[in-house]
């Protein structure tokens, strides 16, 4: 008989996603927002981002819904959010 075997471990550890805070002037045209995960993954990590009203009113930015892909092995990408003056 064959005394060896194969064990496959599925990586199911949770990933923490962080969307950074940024401050920009209205005239800048875009806000570049960092999106990161705490540990690199062996597969692409896909994050859906939706802008909401906070300190800026809806007249100050373009409502944006976007899907961001952090490539396998990476931990962050930047997302551009259009803003208006």
């Amino acid at each position: 008989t064959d005394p060896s075997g194969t064990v496959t471990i599925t990586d199911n550890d949770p990933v923490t996603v962080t969307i950074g805070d940024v401050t920009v002037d209205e005239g800048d045209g875009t806000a570049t927002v960092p999106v990161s995960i705490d540990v690199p993954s062996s597969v692409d990590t896909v994050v859906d981002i939706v802008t909401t009203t906070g300190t800026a009113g809806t007249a100050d930015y373009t409502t944006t819904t976007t899907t961001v892909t952090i490539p396998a092995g990476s931990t962050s990408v930047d997302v551009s959010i259009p803003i208006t003056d």
Side-chain angles (χ1 to χ4, degrees):
T1 62
D2 184 0
S4 64
T6 301
V7 175
T8 302
I9 300 172
T10 302
D11 183 3
N12 63 353
D13 296 333
V15 173
T16 300
V17 176
T18 302
I19 301 173
D21 293 330
V22 297
T23 301
V24 296
D25 291 326
E26 286 181 331
D28 288 347
T30 61
T32 301
V33 180
V35 178
S36 61
I37 54 177
D38 59 340
V39 292
S41 175
S42 60
V43 297
D44 290 351
T45 300
V46 178
V47 180
D48 291 326
I49 296 181
V50 178
T51 56
T52 60
T53 301
T55 58
T58 55
D60 293 324
Y61 69 96
T62 302
T63 301
T64 303
T65 301
T66 188
T67 299
V68 177
T69 301
I70 301 173
S74 296
T75 56
S76 66
V77 295
D78 289 332
V79 177
S80 292
I81 305 298
I83 56 176
T84 55
D85 189 3

